[in-house]
Amino acid sequence: MSVDVTLHGVAKSFGSLPVVQPIDLDVAPGTFVSLVGPSGCGKSTLLRLVAGLEQVSAGTVTIGGASPAELRAHKRLAVVPQQPGLLPWRTVAENARLLLEVNRRHSPTRHPDPAELLDEVGLTEFLDAYPHELSGGMRQRVALVRGFSLGAPLVLMDEPFAALDEITRAEMRELLARMLDRHPATVLFVTHSMAEAAYLSDRVLVMSPRPTAVVADVAIGFPRPRRDALEDTPEFAAVCAELRHHLHGAMR
Amino acid sequence: MIRRAGTSPPPWRPVRWFAPAIGIVTFLALWEGFVRWRDIRPFVLTAPTDIVRYLGRAPGDFAEASLLTARHALVGFVVALVASIGLGALLSTSRFLERAVQPVLVLVQVAPFVAYISSIVLWLGYGDPPVHFVTAFVCVPAFTFATVAGMRSADPSSRELLASVDTPRWEVMWRLRLPSAMPSLFTTARYNTGLALIAAYLVEGSNFADAGLGAIGKRFAANNIGDGLWATVFCMVVLGTVALGLIGLFERWLLHWHASQRSLA
């Protein structure tokens, strides 16, 4: 279950300061698109514009023919933030259910069972644990489950693994790939990591420093399902090198 | 199964009980010794043994007065807490409202309530109403500030997350902002416990009623009965200690998830 996303001349400025230059973008349903770029280049702002959590200064965002506001109102859009944002007074199971419990009137009638999702990410034994009892990786897994619990056709992820160590990040990217095999969705994914982008994406957009513009649009053709071994292939290294090359070009 | 911080009993260490007990006994002994050595008049300072002896002469009366004072303080405290959470929730939604109301709350907080107690008694009459009113009134500012600060401290990630599914305002308040305010409310509750008890004691002494620790304390003072006066002080200390103990229990129960409640061991 996934939707197409269309950005038409989407731009953002804070006062007279342009942050995002007009961007046109078509994302086909079920595509995993990564946004990579230097720190502070406005990738996160672009994500917030797509979610409608930030108002566009110009242009329109259309998601499956609807506006971001309509998607939010019907809980058809999932956000996985950089900080897991778990509520410390709720257990793992309660945090996983949070988005289903709030604004309950508009909850989707069909959605994955959070308990089963927690099982998929290996947290069954921690259902009654509180966030402070978990490692950083486990917390982010709860945040992933919480995002997927809505069964939303569009998932927006803002550097969800940025705060994790390298080993945990590698685990998480494989876990995310597996979850998407089972629960397909269109994904916009912000990251700093070329390897993360290459491993997960169908398409990588390389962004320039502020004001943000897309400087390269790279298709990643590795067959799915992708697994760990992919990262050791020369083809993978070549894709990462190409992305890095575009990024350096953007920063000059 | 994971061991849950907060629900598991802390390891029993003698020093937890022993050290405070030694401290208090030493303090009382020095006090007693000082009063005996300098032969101080009871009205200025009564020795602990004399206080206990005086309490023993009418334990029922002191218990009854203590319960009444506790009830007065509790009613004011709870009314203030509920009103402040409502007021704080309102103020946390608007910087303008907060800026407009904050100076008024500061005025209430710094005004010496001892000075206007008689005016309140004239206004509200004798008996319970002025006691309840002043007790609640003086507790409102600190509780309101704690509510506003706590609600504003709600995690931005969590706020954005709730916004992404169009969570209605009241639900954000109930599920995110109010729990976020709990730690600061508990801190303030400790401070306000002392304030509420003192306010209850002082208004009882000024409202021409004949019950409550404040009322009998005032009578002892008027009749120059030093050990009686100090016996009411003793009862106030007991009330305050019990109240703080209860707040500590509530805190361990409601805030088991908060960093402040985790043992370092």
Side-chain angles (χ1 to χ4, degrees), chain A:
Chain A
M1 206 170 33
S2 33
V3 285
D4 59 306
V5 179
T6 309
L7 273 62
H8 187 70
V10 167
K12 178 71 182 175
S13 46
F14 293 121
S16 60
L17 179 75
V19 185
V20 177
Q21 285 181 346
I23 286 183
D24 291 304
L25 182 67
D26 274 302
V27 177
T31 316
F32 192 113
V33 179
S34 286
L35 310 173
V36 302
S39 285
C41 79
K43 306 179 296 273
S44 301
T45 306
L46 190 58
L47 215 58
R48 293 165 50 81
L49 290 173
V50 173
L53 294 172
E54 194 99 61
Q55 290 304 308
V56 294
S57 304
T60 50
V61 175
T62 317
I63 303 161
S67 71
E70 287 169 299
L71 249 77
R72 284 202 316 278
H74 293 96
K75 302 173 76 169
R76 309 290 291 142
L77 180 156
V79 170
V80 181
Q82 179 173 357
Q83 301 299 325
L86 303 181
L87 302 183
W89 50 88
R90 287 184 154 234
T91 62
V92 165
E94 290 165 348
N95 265 295
R97 280 201 306 269
L98 177 70
L99 293 184
L100 291 165
E101 285 180 8
V102 299
N103 193 9
R104 193 193 285 269
R105 212 153 49 88
H106 292 108
S107 276
T109 44
R110 295 188 51 200
H111 59 81
D113 178 4
E116 279 174 28
L117 290 173
L118 285 170
D119 190 35
E120 282 179 31
V121 302
L123 287 176
T124 306
E125 284 175 49
F126 297 92
L127 294 181
D128 297 324
Y130 285 86
H132 69 82
E133 296 166 317
L134 306 179
S135 68
M138 289 159 93
R139 282 180 215 165
Q140 202 49 269
R141 277 189 259 169
V142 180
L144 271 187
V145 166
R146 187 186 54 197
F148 277 95
S149 69
L150 292 174
L154 175 63
V155 181
L156 304 174
M157 307 180 117
D158 187 4
E159 300 191 47
F161 311 143
L164 305 176
D165 63 85
E166 191 49 45
I167 298 170
T168 312
R169 287 181 80 133
E171 273 172 31
M172 292 297 290
R173 74 178 74 122
E174 217 215 316
L175 188 72
L176 175 57
R178 284 179 192 276
M179 287 192 86
L180 281 165
D181 291 344
R182 257 168 295 194
H183 314 281
T186 309
V187 182
L188 294 186
F189 186 88
V190 168
T191 181
H192 280 116
S193 159
M194 300 304 136
E196 214 163 81
Y199 185 94
L200 288 166
S201 311
D202 301 302
R203 218 173 137 188
V204 179
L205 304 178
V206 182
M207 323 288 278
S208 69
R210 236 172 23 208
T212 304
V214 178
V215 293
D217 186 342
V218 183
I220 313 279
F222 301 124
R224 290 182 188 273
R226 297 173 188 172
R227 294 296 174 252
D228 275 348
L230 173 67
E231 293 189 54
D232 301 325
T233 62
E235 292 82 2
F236 189 83
V239 167
C240 289
E242 186 192 349
L243 292 176
R244 218 169 287 125
H245 170 77
H246 286 303
L247 188 63
H248 288 159
M251 289 172 74
R252 252 197 307 272

Side-chain angles (χ1 to χ4, degrees), chain A residues 48 53 72-73 75 79 81 83 85 87-90 99 101-103 126 128-130 132-133 146 150, chain B residues 1-5 155 157-158 160-168 171 175-176 179-180 256-257 262:
Chain A
R48 293 165 50 81
L53 294 172
R72 284 202 316 278
K75 302 173 76 169
V79 170
Q83 301 299 325
L87 302 183
W89 50 88
R90 287 184 154 234
L99 293 184
E101 285 180 8
V102 299
N103 193 9
F126 297 92
D128 297 324
Y130 285 86
H132 69 82
E133 296 166 317
R146 187 186 54 197
L150 292 174
Chain B
M1 200 53 216
I2 288 200
R3 217 186 101 228
R4 187 87 44 76
D155 177 37
S157 279
S158 306
E160 187 138 311
L161 192 78
L162 293 181
S164 75
V165 290
D166 263 10
T167 309
E171 227 179 329
R175 292 190 192 267
L176 177 63
S180 300
H256 64 87
W257 49 270
R262 274 171 243 155

Side-chain angles (χ1 to χ4, degrees), chain B residues 1 23 35 43 69 79 95 113 145-146 154 156 169 195-196 200-201 210 215 236 254 262:
Chain B
M1 200 53 216
V35 172
F43 199 83
T69 303
V79 167
R95 288 275 177 197
F113 67 90
F145 293 140
R169 211 172 240 228
L195 193 60
Y201 185 94
D210 52 2
M236 289 292 287
L254 285 172
R262 274 171 243 155

